[in-house]
Amino acid sequence: MARPRAFDERRVLERAREQFWASGYAGTRMDDIAQATGLGKGSLYGAFGDKGKLFHRVFSEWCTAVVEVAEGRLTGGPDAEALARLSGYVRLMAENTACDTERRGCLLAKGAAELAQQDPTVAGRSAETMAALMTLLRTEISAAQRHGDIDGAADPERLAALLLTVVRGIEAVGKAGVDPQTLRNIADTALDLLPRP
């Protein structure tokens, strides 16, 4: 019979995530995670596997959270409110980046940039997350088109791709030091450029 764990798994994962987020994958050693979590390396390996497996778990949970935030903003409600939901989401993402005074950016972007080329698990999870975000954006754009707030002749797939690129791009330029008001202006400009009937 296995002994119950004598630590809070959620707390350990949160601290590991913070370490990876601050230092990147390559810049984080298991010793760093052990120090951040207060666990010995043996306990970490026993509970989560090696550094790669621990990162995959943290990264996957982060990707799930990114999609859940979008779902909370973009799903449900009448077509008449679709443009407001879409606008609220894009502006929320800009505001989150504007408030990121440490300029850490998003763990999804950071992990994908560092590892996707050589790590199929990170590449696959990143692609799944982007596809889910695209679907949510496309659904809201289609709803706004049905209501007549966005030109019905426009391709919702292309508009969704554009808005996803704007949202992810805001984060990238924010991390590079673009001032908060410019980030907010980028969001507003992108929304203003959506084709109206």
Side-chain angles (χ1 to χ4, degrees):
M1 180 180 211
R3 280 185 347 178
R5 290 185 180 159
F7 60 86
D8 180 347
E9 184 174 288
R10 177 59 33 213
R11 182 183 147 279
V12 170
L13 288 169
E14 286 170 0
R15 294 213 172 157
R17 180 193 68 216
E18 292 297 315
Q19 189 65 49
F20 283 125
W21 200 2
S23 305
Y25 180 78
T28 298
R29 300 170 303 135
M30 284 301 274
D31 287 330
D32 301 323
I33 295 171
Q35 184 175 2
T37 61
L39 291 180
K41 287 197 296 186
S43 295
L44 286 168
Y45 284 117
F48 303 104
D50 62 17
K51 183 175 93 166
K53 287 180 183 168
L54 178 56
F55 181 79
H56 289 159
R57 173 122 179 234
V58 166
F59 186 76
S60 182
E61 289 185 3
W62 181 269
C63 290
T64 297
V66 165
V67 174
E68 285 174 352
V69 166
E71 287 172 339
R73 291 289 177 149
L74 295 175
T75 56
D79 289 357
E81 297 170 5
L83 184 58
R85 288 190 300 270
L86 196 61
S87 300
Y89 173 71
V90 172
R91 289 186 175 115
L92 173 68
M93 295 297 98
E95 193 59 36
N96 286 349
T97 301
C99 294
D100 181 13
T101 57
E102 295 177 29
R103 290 195 236 164
R104 293 194 307 172
C106 175
L107 186 61
L108 167 58
K110 194 174 222 176
E114 184 179 1
L115 296 171
Q117 191 170 13
Q118 70 260 14
D119 186 326
T121 300
V122 171
R125 191 67 177 97
S126 300
E128 286 171 17
T129 303
M130 292 303 166
L133 294 173
M134 279 275 290
T135 297
L136 290 165
L137 289 165
R138 184 179 61 243
T139 299
E140 288 302 320
I141 289 165
S142 295
Q145 288 177 305
R146 285 192 300 272
H147 188 258
D149 291 324
I150 294 177
D151 184 354
D155 183 344
E157 186 78 24
R158 293 176 87 172
L159 293 179
L162 174 65
L163 287 183
L164 180 60
T165 302
V166 166
V167 166
R168 304 313 297 179
I170 286 171
E171 181 214 319
V173 297
K175 194 171 187 319
V178 170
D179 69 275
Q181 191 53 51
T182 299
L183 301 176
R184 295 178 187 108
N185 291 344
I186 292 168
D188 288 341
T189 301
L191 293 166
D192 287 345
L193 291 174
L194 289 173
R196 301 298 199 256

